Amino acid sequence: ELIRGISTTVRSVNDLGDAADRIGISAEHLQELRFAADQNAASAEAMDTALSQLSRRLGQFAQDGTGPAAKAFAQLEISARGSDGAVRDVGDVFDEIVSKLPGVSSQAERAALAVQLMGKQAGELVPLLAAGSVELQKNAEDLRSYGGVIDDELVSRTQALNDEWDRFATILGGNVKRAILGVVDAFGLLPDTPQSRIADLRQEIAERREKLAKGGLGRDAGSGGLFGVIGNMVKGGTVA
């Protein structure tokens, strides 16, 4: 049970790191945003999907100023690039969106902007987006105060551990299988391979043909005939 629990924890943290890498956000920030979604009638899956969409649309807008979120970025006056010219962290952009959306007077317009920025999945995040940055920050502080955030370095090290474990398990699994088959083969329990069966069949047919050519076998000589050879070998398990 202990080993199983450790394995489950490693897998869970590894999945967190992989999700953060795919989205382009720190693992710590992703945990905070997932928690905020959970506390505001949404799900971690909805948050991940919305962030993934935002990341793609942010990248497109940063590249050439176009894309489905271009008008929303412009209306909210959100820059795609930081002062260093690099594309901004998607988590920081999300935080800015949450801080600026409540300033849009129309609820319908806020919802439309959210969908432009993060796709249809943003609809599930409406309560969180409406709550604003104060609620978002409070959720993050609550999570950290209870020790609920795994730091980025530990997540990264866990990913490396998981990769090594998968590699070790693959190698070990192959070695175990070879060892078991070696023991089975040593006791003569492994059947002939299909290739050897075919070779046996060809050899016997060749021998029967030779006898037939010498007049030693009739074409339809029952089980001793050429076609009987094939049938007998199949029945006897020589051919799979």
Side-chain angles (χ1 to χ4, degrees):
E1 289 298 324
L2 176 61
I3 298 300
R4 184 180 301 174
I6 293 173
S7 177
T8 300
T9 299
V10 169
R11 293 288 185 185
S12 176
V13 176
N14 179 74
D15 291 346
L16 165 66
D18 288 348
D21 291 341
R22 286 194 302 271
I23 294 169
I25 188 175
S26 73
E28 292 182 29
H29 203 165
L30 180 58
Q31 291 170 84
E32 293 172 351
L33 293 180
R34 283 178 170 182
F35 180 72
D38 180 70
Q39 296 300 298
N40 289 271
S43 65
E45 292 77 13
M47 177 59 74
D48 286 6
T49 302
L51 289 171
S52 295
Q53 288 292 328
L54 176 60
S55 180
R56 283 193 283 269
R57 297 174 191 209
L58 176 66
Q60 187 174 355
F61 182 61
Q63 182 176 359
D64 54 22
T66 63
K71 291 183 178 179
F73 281 126
Q75 182 174 337
L76 295 175
E77 298 181 347
I78 296 176
S79 300
R81 296 183 181 275
S83 57
D84 60 354
V87 179
R88 295 176 60 196
D89 179 271
V90 67
D92 293 339
V93 173
F94 180 85
D95 290 348
E96 186 175 357
I97 291 171
V98 173
S99 70
K100 290 186 173 181
L101 272 181
V104 178
S105 57
S106 168
Q107 181 177 349
E109 188 176 2
R110 287 197 300 270
L113 288 170
V115 170
Q116 289 176 41
L117 291 162
M118 293 173 280
K120 295 180 180 179
Q121 201 67 44
E124 191 175 333
L125 302 178
V126 167
L128 173 60
L129 298 174
S133 56
V134 173
E135 177 67 14
L136 189 65
Q137 183 62 33
K138 179 181 180 300
N139 290 148
E141 291 174 353
D142 287 346
L143 183 63
R144 286 187 176 276
S145 69
Y146 288 106
V149 176
I150 304 171
D151 66 74
D152 290 332
E153 181 182 356
L154 184 55
V155 171
S156 180
R157 287 165 56 193
T158 303
Q159 286 179 282
L161 171 64
N162 185 74
D163 291 343
E164 283 302 309
W165 173 254
D166 284 345
R167 179 173 177 273
F168 171 75
T170 299
I171 294 173
L172 179 63
N175 288 337
V176 169
K177 289 174 184 176
R178 281 193 294 274
I180 292 173
L181 291 175
V183 172
V184 172
D185 193 32
F187 281 93
L189 300 177
L190 282 180
D192 292 336
T193 62
Q195 290 81 2
S196 66
R197 292 174 182 172
I198 292 173
D200 290 343
L201 175 61
R202 287 174 175 170
Q203 177 65 29
E204 188 161 350
I205 289 176
E207 292 174 357
R208 297 287 178 134
R209 279 178 175 169
E210 185 177 351
K211 290 181 180 180
L212 181 63
K214 294 178 180 179
L217 284 175
R219 182 178 184 278
D220 297 315
S223 62
L226 178 59
F227 298 102
V229 171
I230 299 175
N232 289 335
M233 295 182 74
V234 171
K235 293 176 182 177
T238 309
V239 180

